[in-house]
């Protein structure tokens, strides 16, 4: 559906010390009675502070009335702010990994990123739409073995947050060392469907999961 641009908008944000507090802020925003237009998260460094921000849109009076409940839901230290500079921008790095989860798994996902990054000896920034459970992790270093260790560590932990780990962007050496898609349920069924509609394998061969 297409919607007109709202006549008024405001952002409320809180900076919290880590994954547990970030989870509490996200859950507060999800369950608050103020209809957030978006709930976004930014964590520049492993184990570091996390900013959780919400977008409020509508009429000027409606936004003003919902600002107080939004601040209360985000918790102590929340304040009204301008649009964050990171809002709507993917984190920057040579390797970009898409992480999905249920909204209730955001805290566990952040903790798993920290653990996998520490074990692999890399640094990962995390940013994305916490309200719908779609985050992105960016790695500055692109050593293939380190990236493979990081991705494998996350995939091993993924059942804890009911999510997935997909490598979206990486140098050629990393793509050669890492399965970009990882384990996907139903891949054999998808392969049979692909074979039925493309028996000669002419349509984008090898670009999807399992080499489909």
């Amino acid at each position: 559906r297409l919607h007109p641009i709202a006549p008024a908008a405001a952002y409320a944000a809180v900076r919290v010390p880590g994954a547990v507090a970030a989870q509490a802020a996200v859950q507060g925003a999800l369950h608050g009675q103020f209809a957030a237009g978006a709930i976004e998260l930014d964590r520049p460094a492993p184990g570091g502070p996390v900013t959780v921000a919400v977008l409020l849109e509508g009429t000027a009076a409606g936004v003003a009335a919902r600002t107080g409940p939004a601040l209360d839901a985000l918790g102590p230290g929340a304040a009204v702010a301008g649009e964050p500079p990171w809002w709507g921008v993917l984190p920057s790095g040579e390797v970009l990994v898409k992480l999905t989860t249920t909204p209730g798994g955001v805290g566990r996902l952040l903790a798993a990123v920290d653990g996998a990054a520490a074990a692999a000896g890399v640094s990962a920034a995390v940013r994305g739409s916490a309200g719908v459970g779609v985050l992105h992790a960016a790695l500055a270093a692109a050593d293939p073995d380190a990236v493979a260790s990081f991705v494998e560590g996350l995939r091993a932990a993924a059942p804890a947050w009911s999510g997935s780990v997909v490598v979206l962007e990486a140098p050629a050496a990393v793509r050669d060392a890492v399965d970009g898609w990882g384990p996907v349920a139903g891949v054999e069924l998808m392969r049979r469907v692909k074979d039925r509609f493309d028996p000669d394998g002419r349509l984008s061969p090898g670009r999807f999961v399992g080499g489909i």
Side-chain angles (χ1 to χ4, degrees):
R1 296 183 298 170
L2 298 178
H3 297 273
I5 296 175
Y11 297 85
V14 64
R15 192 167 185 256
V16 294
V20 174
Q23 174 68 24
V26 170
Q27 288 299 301
L30 283 170
H31 298 293
Q33 302 300 308
F34 55 87
I39 305 170
E40 300 287 304
L41 173 153
D42 181 48
R43 204 285 307 276
V50 183
T51 299
V52 177
V54 301
L55 169 64
L56 305 173
E57 295 180 302
T59 64
V63 169
R66 287 150 51 212
T67 298
L71 296 176
D72 291 340
L74 288 174
V80 175
E83 179 179 325
W86 49 266
W87 188 274
V89 179
L90 291 172
S92 178
E94 290 187 81
V95 177
L96 184 66
V97 181
K98 180 181 178 181
L99 309 169
T100 63
T101 181
T102 61
V106 169
R108 293 190 294 275
L109 188 156
L110 289 175
V113 169
D114 289 348
V122 298
S123 178
V126 179
R127 183 183 297 161
S129 301
V132 294
V134 179
L135 302 177
H136 293 84
L139 283 67
D143 175 74
D145 291 337
V147 175
S149 175
F150 174 74
V151 171
E152 289 167 5
L154 282 178
R155 285 176 176 158
W161 72 74
S162 303
S164 62
V165 181
V166 176
V167 180
L168 296 181
E169 297 179 7
V174 173
R175 294 197 301 271
D176 290 341
V178 180
D179 178 359
W181 294 96
V184 176
V187 67
E188 291 305 319
L189 175 60
M190 288 187 279
R191 182 173 285 111
R192 292 198 298 271
V193 171
K194 176 69 159 52
D195 290 343
R196 184 71 178 270
F197 287 93
D198 181 27
D200 296 327
R202 297 180 179 180
L203 304 178
S204 300
R207 295 187 62 185
F208 195 42
V209 295
I212 296 174

